[in-house]
RNA sequence: UGUUGAGUGGUGCAAUGGUGAGCACAUCAGUCUUUGACACUGAUGAUAUUGGUUCGAGUCCAGUCUCAACAACCA
């Protein structure tokens, strides 16, 4: 039973291409530059490219666009591969634009022989000046009319390392008055005496994006080359080069990159946050990087669902982070093990409970799980509950504990608060309560109905854990569009650490691949900083809290 | 004063000339609840604008307005 979901514009194009017989199967590619870590915007592109070939039949290559040796590193290659795999996708071939450097060089020579490329000795400043503006035509370079022979010779000498960086470039010979600035004799090759992460010192000239990307697509016989909107003006050049070179005609299609509010999504800005230590690294759980959200506890399933829900189109957009949070809550609700942890404790003493008695309470690991399992939690005379779960003078509709009021302790007994004990400063140090023996969970004959249920831990059995609570990294929706520097809008309280929270014993053996819901608190996962001496949890996302919202209104 | 692309509830997508412009998130009001979670019910709310074609326009045509991208030896 296939649910009839409308196709996005790329799916429509592909369906038409398949129906018309233009292609019998499709080929896409994900082409990251290995100069940084992948972020949520890339996740969208990954889901799109891999999703399309899966849906329509075909394959997707992972191709590193490594044509700029000065910014690219193997470390990034590894992280990118890990991220793509983690998201749940398999590429057909792992490829590198640098694999094609010989072919690309031959293509460049061919362009020269066709009289469609020339070596220019102008400096970058001179070139910029001669380029004109969007509304004014540019001027021809004085080197534009060199003979084919001279160009061949010069280009070969560029390759042989006879010239210093910046002294010469190879340019396409198109039209300096073209309305598309990119068609005004774009640079095809430049000299860079730099060590390349894969080709080492073999080359000292490297192709520019436009001389490498479309050609790589063509070599791999990519049918649908999908990129973001800022490459729209490049398409004309993409097509021009393929046409003149008479190579396999790949086609470029553009979609709008996805933005998310309360964060930034450009490598340059993310790099600044890392370098200037506003965060602790690329995988800081507050970062919108794949490695960041992974460490934060997001699941691949939830990210794929998110990318699927936001869809793909050609208009500018800023997606609400709330949707991502919804997606991860929805998935985590299904898989997370329920546990009880008290962050800010206040002691409860059950005056009618035997001093040395310990009962093991039976509690479900996950009520959403069809094959429900349980764990046992020790219960005793002295317990911790959350300080905010008690109020001496509660407002209306307050379901939690208050003098004379009753609440249920999750999976245990109903208790009533009889007495509040305070210290000299008036701070509450202890709540003296009585429990209702006949109200035991699963065996309740009390017939008493209470509105509130609290989480708790037994004082003598509690284990201490560190909990890291994250909030949005920025205090405004779109930091990049605000006045001044985007970093002026960083949320100073994006990380709050609870050094010692009190957890039920089961969490002592928490595992990295498990997800937890701390009941009434949120979803959490084990952080890599955990060790023998201390367990650390990251809050992935809070639970929805309609009570907190109601209180804010008041 | 250029070229290219884009304008549908608060947000993201859909409606491919034909019911009352649909879906999700968010918001609001309820129901349920041993998580104020989850689940469930209902509600609010949009075609940038002007004119035209047509029996009929979000969709086609013309104009206007708004936004974005384009002048790196980055990708």
């Amino acid at each position: 039973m296939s649910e009839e979901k409308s196709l996005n514009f790329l799916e429509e194009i592909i369906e038409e291409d398949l129906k018309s017989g233009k292609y019998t199967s499709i080929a896409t590619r994900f082409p990251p530059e290995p100069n940084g870590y992948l972020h949520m915007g890339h996740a969208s592109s990954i889901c799109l490219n891999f999703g399309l070939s899966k849906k329509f039949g075909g394959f997707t290559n992972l191709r590193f666009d490594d044509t700029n040796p000065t910014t690219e590193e193997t470390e990034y290659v590894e992280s990118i591969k890990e991220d793509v795999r983690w998201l749940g996708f398999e590429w057909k071939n792992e490829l590198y634009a640098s694999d094609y450097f010989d072919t690309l060089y031959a293509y460049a020579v061919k362009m020269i022989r066709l009289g469609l490329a020339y070596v220019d000795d102008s400096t970058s400043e001179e070139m910029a000046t001669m380029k004109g503006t969007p509304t004014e035509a540019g001027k021809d370079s004085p080197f534009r009319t060199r003979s084919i022979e001279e160009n061949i010779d010069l280009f070969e000498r560029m390759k042989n390392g006879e010239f210093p960086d910046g002294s010469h470039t190879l340019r396409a010979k198109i039209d300096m008055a073209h309305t598309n600035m990119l068609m005004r004799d774009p640079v095809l090759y430049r000299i860079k005496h730099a060590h390349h992460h894969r080709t080492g010192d073999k080359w000292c000239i490297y192709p520019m994006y436009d001389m490498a990307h479309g050609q790589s697509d063509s070599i791999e016989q990519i049918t649908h080359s999908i990129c973001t909107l800022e490459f729209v003006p490049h398409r004309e050049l993409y097509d021009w080069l393929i046409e003149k070179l008479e190579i396999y005609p790949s086609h470029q299609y553009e979609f709008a990159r996805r933005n998310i509010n309360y964060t930034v999504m450009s490598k340059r800005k993310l790099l600044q946050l890392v370098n200037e230590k506003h965060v602790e690294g690329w995988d800081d759980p507050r970062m919108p990087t794949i490695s960041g959200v992974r460490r934060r506890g997001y699941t691949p399933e939830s990210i794929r669902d998110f990318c699927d829900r936001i869809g793909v189109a050609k208009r500018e957009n800023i997606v609400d982070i709330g949707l991502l949070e919804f997606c991860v809550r929805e998935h985590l609700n299904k898989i997370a093990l329920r546990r009880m942890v008290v962050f800010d404790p206040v002691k409860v003493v059950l005056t009618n409970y035997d001093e040395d008695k310990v009962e093991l309470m039976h509690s479900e690991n996950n009520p959403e799980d069809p094959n429900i399992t349980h764990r046992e939690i020790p219960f005793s005379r002295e317990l911790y509950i959350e300080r905010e779960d008690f109020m001496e003078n509660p407002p209306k509709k307050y379901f939690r504990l208050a003098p004379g009021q009753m609440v249920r302790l999750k999976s245990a007994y109903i208790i009533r608060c009889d007495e509040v004990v305070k210290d000299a400063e008036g701070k509450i140090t202890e709540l003296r309560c009585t429990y209702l023996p006949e109200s035991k969970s699963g065996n309740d004959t009390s017939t008493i109905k209470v509105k509130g249920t609290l989480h708790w831990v037994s004082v003598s059995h509690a284990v201490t854990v560190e909990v890291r609570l994250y909030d949005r990294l920025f205090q405004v929706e779109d930091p990049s569009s605000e006045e001044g520097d985007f970093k002026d809008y960083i949320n100073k309280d994006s990380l709050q650490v609870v050094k010692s929270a009190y957890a039920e014993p089961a969490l002592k053996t928490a595992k990295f691949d498990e997800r937890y819901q701390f009941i009434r608190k949120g979803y959490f996962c084990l952080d890599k900083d955990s060790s023998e001496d201390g367990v650390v949890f990251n809050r992935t996302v809070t639970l929805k809290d309609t009570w907190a919202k109601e209180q804010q209104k008041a």
Side-chain angles (χ1 to χ4, degrees):
Chain A
M1 193 144 339
S2 67
E3 225 168 89
E4 205 50 56
K5 209 188 162 196
S6 57
L7 302 177
N8 65 47
F9 77 101
L10 291 168
E11 294 171 328
E12 279 178 8
I13 289 167
I14 291 170
E15 194 169 72
E16 182 55 38
D17 286 346
L18 257 18
K19 200 160 60 179
S20 72
K22 184 173 177 184
Y23 304 114
T24 52
S25 71
I26 65 162
T28 61
R29 99 271 90 113
F30 174 61
E33 184 191 6
N35 70 344
Y37 282 70
L38 260 28
H39 54 61
M40 288 297 292
H42 295 109
S44 200
S45 172
I46 290 166
C47 290
L48 222 204
N49 278 295
F50 285 90
L52 250 18
S53 64
K54 187 180 268 182
K55 177 168 183 174
F56 291 96
F59 64 86
T60 301
N61 285 339
L62 173 61
R63 183 174 72 231
F64 292 95
D65 231 331
D66 55 351
T67 57
N68 186 359
T70 52
T71 58
E72 295 153 5
E73 291 172 30
T74 306
E75 175 202 347
Y76 295 124
V77 170
E78 294 309 316
S79 80
I80 288 168
K81 284 159 66 176
E82 184 188 0
D83 288 349
V84 175
R85 269 194 222 104
W86 179 77
L87 276 173
F89 297 104
E90 280 174 47
W91 50 89
K92 182 173 185 209
N93 303 297
E94 176 184 332
L95 301 165
Y96 297 79
S98 54
D99 292 339
Y100 311 135
F101 279 173
D102 285 303
T103 309
L104 264 17
Y105 180 78
Y107 285 168
V109 171
K110 182 173 181 179
M111 292 302 289
I112 296 172
R113 290 200 193 284
L114 288 168
L116 294 173
Y118 63 97
V119 173
D120 196 334
D121 306 353
S122 309
T123 64
S124 57
E125 294 75 26
E126 286 166 343
M127 252 190 253
T129 315
M130 289 187 284
K131 198 109 191 180
T133 71
T135 52
E136 283 168 64
K139 292 191 197 72
D140 285 4
S141 162
F143 304 97
R144 201 173 197 262
T145 51
R146 287 219 249 238
S147 71
I148 289 175
E149 290 67 33
E150 191 185 359
N151 281 319
I152 293 278
D153 175 62
L154 250 16
F155 187 50
E156 184 160 355
R157 289 167 62 194
M158 279 168 63
K159 184 190 76 167
N160 292 340
E162 293 184 29
F163 306 118
D165 289 7
S167 58
H168 302 268
T169 57
L170 182 73
R171 292 230 261 169
K173 190 192 279 191
I174 308 179
D175 178 4
M176 288 306 289
H178 205 288
T179 50
N180 181 349
M181 300 280 299
L182 275 157
M183 297 296 275
R184 322 242 261 226
D185 291 10
V187 172
L188 263 23
Y189 262 88
R190 78 289 215 189
I191 302 171
K192 267 181 197 279
H193 291 270
H195 187 84
H196 187 279
H197 75 116
R198 299 193 88 235
T199 61
D201 298 315
K202 180 178 176 192
W203 296 88
C204 62
I205 57 170
Y206 292 92
M208 297 287 291
Y209 168 85
D210 292 297
M211 188 55 200
H213 200 101
Q215 293 64 26
S216 302
D217 286 342
S218 177
I219 291 165
E220 294 169 25
Q221 306 219 340
I222 299 301
T223 56
H224 300 263
S225 177
I226 297 161
C227 60
T228 46
L229 243 34
E230 67 266 30
F231 291 98
V232 168
H234 291 254
R235 190 176 60 234
E236 194 170 10
L237 181 53
Y238 182 105
D239 291 339
W240 185 87
L241 282 163
I242 281 178
E243 185 202 320
K244 300 302 178 193
L245 254 10
E246 298 180 290
I247 54 178
Y248 179 87
S250 296
H251 292 281
Q252 174 182 304
Y253 302 91
E254 312 85 11
F255 72 99
R257 62 152 31 106
R258 322 309 315 211
N259 302 291
I260 299 177
N261 59 9
Y262 297 105
T263 188
V264 293
M265 201 90 85
S266 85
K267 274 190 205 169
R268 206 192 96 249
K269 293 197 177 82
L270 295 175
L271 185 64
Q272 276 185 61
L273 293 175
V274 173
N275 286 345
E276 297 170 23
K277 310 270 188 221
H278 293 103
V279 294
E280 274 157 43
W282 285 101
D283 71 343
D284 187 298
R286 292 165 293 182
M287 290 281 273
T289 49
I290 308 281
S291 48
V293 298
R294 175 168 60 229
R295 184 171 173 191
R296 173 96 168 231
Y298 279 70
T299 58
E301 290 90 337
S302 61
I303 292 169
R304 279 188 253 124
D305 182 36
F306 173 72
C307 291
D308 199 46
R309 283 172 188 263
I310 61 183
V312 47
K314 299 185 79 158
R315 43 178 125 142
E316 304 284 325
N317 60 79
I318 300 180
V319 182
D320 191 344
I321 182 75
L323 182 61
L324 213 209
E325 294 180 343
F326 168 84
C327 291
V328 73
R329 283 191 188 108
E330 188 176 59
H331 185 223
L332 259 16
N333 181 45
K334 292 196 189 96
I335 64 165
L337 269 19
R338 310 295 132 117
R339 296 291 184 260
M340 293 199 282
V341 181
V342 174
F343 290 9
D344 180 18
V346 64
K347 191 189 281 184
V348 166
V349 178
L350 303 177
T351 51
N352 60 339
Y353 199 87
D354 292 348
E355 292 264 355
D356 303 319
K357 190 175 173 184
V358 176
E359 280 182 273
L360 291 178
M361 299 302 182
H362 211 52
S363 192
E364 60 271 14
N365 278 315
N366 184 345
E368 307 283 328
D369 188 343
N371 308 308
I372 198 160
T373 58
H374 294 80
R375 69 191 188 286
E376 298 196 316
I377 313 167
F379 182 88
S380 65
R381 187 173 199 260
E382 296 198 346
L383 310 166
Y384 285 134
I385 64 165
E386 215 68 66
R387 189 167 283 275
E388 65 173 16
D389 283 339
F390 175 83
M391 275 185 98
E392 215 170 353
N393 301 297
K396 266 189 180 165
K397 293 205 293 184
Y398 184 82
F399 303 154
R400 279 111 102 141
L401 200 60
Q405 275 195 35
M406 290 194 285
V407 293
R408 169 163 304 272
L409 295 178
K410 171 71 181 171
S411 300
Y413 296 98
I414 292 174
I415 62 169
R416 184 185 55 232
C417 178
D418 305 316
E419 190 187 344
V420 182
V421 182
K422 297 179 187 171
D423 63 14
E425 278 87 54
K427 188 182 178 189
I428 297 168
T429 54
E430 189 176 304
L431 300 169
R432 299 185 71 79
C433 305
T434 46
Y435 83 107
L436 278 56
E438 68 280 16
S439 69
K440 186 169 178 176
S441 185
N443 223 343
D444 188 349
T445 55
S446 69
T447 72
I448 292 173
K449 291 266 178 272
V450 292
K451 289 290 277 184
T453 301
L454 307 185
H455 62 282
W456 52 273
V457 291
S458 165
V459 171
S460 58
H461 300 89
V463 297
T464 304
V465 300
E466 177 175 327
V467 171
R468 296 178 184 167
L469 308 174
Y470 303 102
D471 197 359
R472 44 188 57 143
L473 234 193
F474 290 90
Q475 25 187 357
V476 295
E477 285 207 37
D478 188 4
S480 312
S481 74
E482 297 285 338
E483 291 284 318
D485 192 276
F486 76 99
K487 296 191 292 309
D488 297 344
Y489 300 90
I490 288 176
N491 175 10
K492 300 282 188 297
D493 303 316
S494 59
L495 170 62
Q496 195 189 329
V497 179
V498 179
K499 275 287 177 192
S500 46
Y502 297 91
E504 62 169 272
L507 278 175
K508 190 143 200 187
T509 53
K511 298 185 185 70
F512 281 104
D513 58 354
E514 281 179 340
R515 293 293 186 281
Y516 303 95
Q517 184 199 99
F518 294 176
I519 290 177
R520 302 207 305 134
K521 284 293 182 185
Y523 293 99
F524 292 79
C525 69
L526 200 56
D527 187 76
K528 68 176 187 185
D529 287 348
S530 297
S531 67
E532 301 260 317
D533 326 317
V535 181
V536 180
F537 288 97
N538 291 321
R539 182 172 70 196
T540 308
V541 65
T542 60
L543 254 27
K544 266 182 36 181
D545 191 346
T546 51
W547 171 244
K549 192 189 280 179
E550 209 166 301
Q551 287 203 300
Q552 270 180 8
K553 284 188 285 188

